Amino acid sequence: MMADTSSKKDRRGFLNDALRTTSVIALAGAGGFLAGRRSEGEPMVWQLDPDQCIGCGHCATYCVLDESAVKCVNCFDMCGFCDICTGYFEMNYLALDTAAENQLCPTGALVRKFIEEKSGQRFYEYTIDVPLCIGCGKCVIGCALMNGSLYMQVEHDRCVDCNECAIAVACPTQAFHRIPASQKEILKRRAEAVLGARGRRMMREAGDDAGMYREGAELLERALTQRRWRQQQRSASTASSEPEGTARDA
Amino acid sequence: MSQTKQGPSNDRQQPRPTNLPPGVIWGVVGLVALIAALAVFRVDTWGDRGSGLSPRFEFDVSELAAVDPALVSHAETAQIPVGMQTVQAIAAKPDGGFLVAGDRAVQMFQADGTMAQAFSVPDAPRSLAVAGEDHDFPGRIYVGMASRVEVFDASGQPIASWSEGLNQDSLLTSLAVFEENVLAADAGNRVVVRWDASGRLLGTIGQPDDRRGIDGFVIPSEFFDLVVPQDGILRVVNPGALRVEAFTLDGDPLGHWGEASARIEGFFGCCNPSHLTVLADGRFVTSEKGLPRIKLYSPRGEFESVIAATASLTARGGGQEIRDEHSPRAFDVAADATGRVLVLDPNTRQVRIFEPLESGAMADAG
């Protein structure tokens, strides 16, 4: 009886095939892993562009959280530290004091603290009592009458980062954007300018003060991050508005 | 006696419902689908029905913007369009004409609003002044950039560029010429810089100095204006202090006027008035930002009347638009020898001319 050698493989052939198969699987796996790593990118978060915000109040009521993740912030570099602060006082205030009837903020979330008296004027610092702020934007509108140092930002320690942000959908000016998590904020253009200027000045005047130099450099980097982001936004906007052929030709 | 095993009794079973006709079932399904669709459509996903916040959350400036008509002393008599994308500064010429700076140019207009000439400047201008007959070079045009002054002759030919006394922090927001003096308000360094007609630095005015009783200028934003009337006393707005301060040209303080108040007589907010000019009779014209309004004060700084109320300067009469690119900007003012007040409207890019009402007309308006 003749042995059926054609249907049997010798051990060497089997090992060769096994090695080849294993190599192909390993290569495919490694390729897939690398491709996955490359496309992973940085996590993105929602943020509000204050230059697009109109203070409509939607942030207070459309957030899926009971207490909105959008809060007011004060850019002190832009603030006038006014006594008659149009973001703090009702337009028909009875007195320049902290009585509730004089305050513009319906929840009393803006805190007024005396700083100094100069040139016959009293100057005050305004900070946000974050848990009290509901993101209605009333103070933002008031402040915009003058310096516009109060503006809205998404607080990332509160935001649950919905895939489709309900406020972003309802925002009448499409002021909400996805930004890299490391960027955290979107500054007003004017805030970017004043922070950058202060950073440059601090670096210039730091001398041997390493701490001052570092603080100046951080401010400048913060401003430059904003500038880069806005440039990317402009580029993306230009590319999307150009006809396809034009963009490809370019 | 036979025992029967206790088990689920068929007697307790409810009778099965009779089969409903398919039409009824489909009707119910359709009704449910309709209710669901209506519910979905009623949800205001797009925010079209507003925020739902109570009126307590609305910002209302109407009370502050309202002006008693009896206080209005001027009427708008002409609007002259300026062919620029952005307008920054206006200055009156001694012959009744005026100049407007903006974009990277200066345009010269005759008294009737006809544009006579234009010339370009090397950078974005921020301030402007024209030398009068009392100056060493009558008709000379001074244009302030951020950190230098460009000097032109009366026809717009460049003569010189001055930067002595200025630095990279400088931000020139206003210029004035009195006799041989040229003065600039430097908002960046919070001082007034003074040169002679050749551009030689004569000194600075307004640095904090306890010995001389000078507190210094408080400048929270890029508005810092000055003027030198015929009395030769420098008037500088101290915007953060909400008042106008007087100095000799050597820098000695002489006093101040203006009060912080939301009432029509005062200045309110962070930094007002934003602009200042003087009439030939010595009365002052102030322009405020935020809620734009232009007012008239006596030479001693007492409130006299309203030249232009908020409603006449802004179509909407309020302050609800908060985006920088869309919000109303501050109105520069100038006054010519005939008493006309020239208001540079940066929103409509026009020179708006206001002239005094007849005394009877003012009474009628009241």
Side-chain angles (χ1 to χ4, degrees):
Chain A
M1 189 173 169
M2 244 175 89
D4 184 6
T5 53
S6 64
S7 64
K8 288 186 178 176
K9 284 184 179 168
D10 60 10
R11 180 170 296 174
R12 185 184 298 260
F14 173 77
L15 287 173
N16 278 340
D17 286 349
L19 188 62
R20 268 192 222 106
T21 307
T22 309
S23 301
V24 168
I25 291 170
L27 277 173
F33 174 74
L34 288 173
R37 282 288 296 266
R38 188 170 176 180
S39 62
E40 192 174 275
E42 190 182 349
M44 305 291 273
V45 292
W46 288 106
Q47 192 47 279
L48 167 62
D49 181 355
D51 280 325
Q52 289 179 264
C53 174
I54 58 169
C56 64
H58 287 187
C59 291
T61 50
Y62 279 83
C63 184
V64 296
L65 300 172
D66 288 343
E67 180 193 319
S68 177
V70 179
K71 305 279 184 183
C72 180
V73 297
N74 192 3
C75 176
F76 293 111
D77 284 79
M78 291 169 66
C79 182
F81 296 83
C82 319
D83 185 8
I84 310 176
C85 172
T86 51
Y88 184 84
F89 286 111
E90 281 283 8
M91 289 293 99
N92 55 353
Y93 63 85
L94 301 173
L96 292 174
D97 60 31
T98 57
E101 68 268 24
N102 297 322
Q103 290 187 40
L104 188 72
C105 179
T107 63
L110 211 53
V111 180
R112 169 178 158 102
K113 180 184 164 194
F114 175 72
I115 298 296
E116 65 170 342
E117 185 161 348
K118 187 178 176 186
S119 299
Q121 283 297 306
R122 293 165 66 84
F123 293 90
Y124 292 82
E125 180 187 73
Y126 295 91
T127 51
I128 316 299
D129 188 342
V130 176
L132 291 181
C133 178
I134 63 165
C136 68
K138 190 176 181 183
C139 62
V140 175
I141 298 174
C143 183
L145 276 181
M146 291 296 154
N147 276 5
S149 67
L150 294 173
Y151 57 83
M152 314 277 273
Q153 287 284 272
V154 175
E155 292 276 315
H156 296 301
D157 55 354
R158 286 194 53 77
C159 179
V160 291
D161 204 26
C162 303
N163 192 35
E164 187 177 54
C165 171
I167 315 176
V169 173
C171 179
T173 56
Q174 283 123 42
F176 279 74
H177 299 271
R178 296 291 274 171
I179 63 166
S182 61
Q183 182 180 325
K184 296 177 188 166
E185 62 182 351
I186 301 177
L187 292 172
K188 273 190 168 185
R189 284 188 191 86
R190 286 193 290 131
E192 172 200 313
V194 294
L195 288 178
R198 183 155 70 90
R200 274 189 288 274
R201 193 179 310 119
M202 287 176 79
M203 290 169 72
R204 196 169 61 237
E205 296 170 356
D208 297 332
D209 188 342
M212 184 177 174
Y213 187 88
R214 191 167 52 250
E215 191 182 338
E218 284 169 2
L219 279 174
L220 190 57
E221 178 55 30
R222 200 173 148 199
L224 290 174
T225 301
Q226 297 297 314
R227 189 170 300 173
R228 282 192 292 269
W229 180 78
R230 289 204 182 274
Q231 281 169 351
Q232 286 169 6
Q233 292 293 111
R234 269 196 299 275
S235 304
S237 166
T238 309
S240 63
S241 62
E242 280 179 351
E244 200 177 330
T246 314
R248 196 165 38 237
D249 295 345
Chain B
M1 190 168 139
S2 67
Q3 285 188 340
T4 55
K5 188 178 178 182
Q6 293 292 316
S9 168
N10 288 336
D11 298 340
R12 292 187 181 179
Q13 280 185 346
Q14 295 296 318
R16 284 174 178 273
T18 54
N19 285 340
L20 290 170
V24 174
I25 294 171
W26 282 112
V28 171
V29 169
L31 188 65
V32 170
L34 186 65
I35 291 169
L38 282 174
V40 167
F41 281 118
R42 276 191 64 80
V43 174
D44 183 20
T45 310
W46 304 98
D48 294 333
R49 286 199 287 273
S51 66
L53 292 168
S54 76
R56 173 81 176 89
F57 289 81
E58 286 174 11
F59 185 77
D60 183 12
V61 293
S62 56
E63 197 170 320
L64 199 59
V67 170
D68 180 355
L71 293 174
V72 179
S73 61
H74 285 60
E76 188 170 3
T77 56
Q79 296 178 344
I80 299 159
V82 178
M84 294 185 187
Q85 290 299 311
T86 56
V87 291
Q88 287 287 348
I90 187 167
K93 291 166 64 182
D95 65 1
F98 55 90
L99 288 83
V100 174
D103 291 347
R104 290 192 176 209
V106 172
Q107 293 183 357
M108 293 191 258
F109 293 84
Q110 294 170 350
D112 63 359
T114 310
M115 194 179 83
Q117 194 183 340
F119 61 90
S120 60
V121 294
D123 208 342
R126 305 189 65 96
S127 50
L128 185 64
V130 183
E133 295 299 324
D134 55 349
H135 191 57
D136 290 353
F137 306 98
R140 230 187 207 190
I141 300 164
Y142 295 92
V143 183
M145 310 295 171
S147 57
R148 67 181 191 279
V149 176
E150 297 289 338
V151 186
F152 299 87
D153 68 15
S155 64
Q157 292 300 311
I159 296 172
S161 180
W162 302 350
S163 59
E164 192 182 1
L166 305 176
N167 56 38
Q168 52 193 331
D169 289 334
S170 293
L171 180 64
L172 301 187
T173 51
S174 181
L175 287 167
V177 182
F178 178 74
E179 296 178 347
E180 78 280 11
N181 301 280
V182 178
L183 299 109
D186 181 352
N189 291 304
R190 296 171 171 79
V191 293
V192 173
V193 185
R194 179 182 166 211
W195 298 276
D196 68 12
S198 67
R200 186 169 60 91
L201 182 68
L202 298 178
T204 56
I205 300 168
Q207 297 100 327
D209 186 339
D210 290 340
R211 192 177 49 83
R212 298 170 84 182
I214 301 173
D215 293 325
F217 299 115
V218 182
I219 305 174
S221 63
E222 56 181 358
F223 297 100
F224 183 34
D225 206 351
L226 56 77
V227 66
V228 185
Q230 287 307 308
D231 59 12
I233 296 171
L234 168 68
R235 271 37 171 241
V236 193
V237 176
N238 192 342
L242 302 161
R243 67 192 192 191
V244 177
E245 299 185 352
F247 292 87
T248 66
L249 293 183
D250 292 324
D252 292 320
L254 298 174
H256 58 82
W257 57 266
E259 60 166 332
S261 168
R263 295 193 309 274
I264 191 72
E265 299 88 351
F267 305 117
F268 90 107
C270 71
C271 29
N272 269 315
S274 62
H275 293 92
L276 175 72
T277 193
V278 64
L279 293 171
D281 62 9
R283 291 183 296 170
F284 294 99
V285 176
T286 62
S287 168
E288 291 169 57
K289 69 169 192 152
L291 285 183
R293 51 192 191 187
I294 295 168
K295 300 184 299 194
L296 187 61
Y297 288 82
S298 74
R300 294 168 55 87
E302 294 136 345
F303 171 76
E304 286 196 352
S305 63
V306 176
I307 293 172
T310 305
S312 67
L313 294 172
T314 59
R316 49 196 176 70
Q320 303 298 312
E321 175 57 82
I322 65 170
R323 291 172 292 182
D324 283 350
E325 289 178 357
H326 298 79
S327 58
R329 284 169 285 164
F331 294 70
D332 193 8
V333 284
D336 68 14
T338 63
R340 299 191 308 172
V341 177
L342 313 173
V343 177
L344 183 63
D345 187 334
N347 307 302
T348 60
R349 299 190 295 278
Q350 291 175 325
V351 175
R352 300 169 63 175
I353 297 177
F354 291 79
E355 295 185 64
L357 292 165
E358 299 298 324
S359 54
M362 190 171 167
D364 291 344

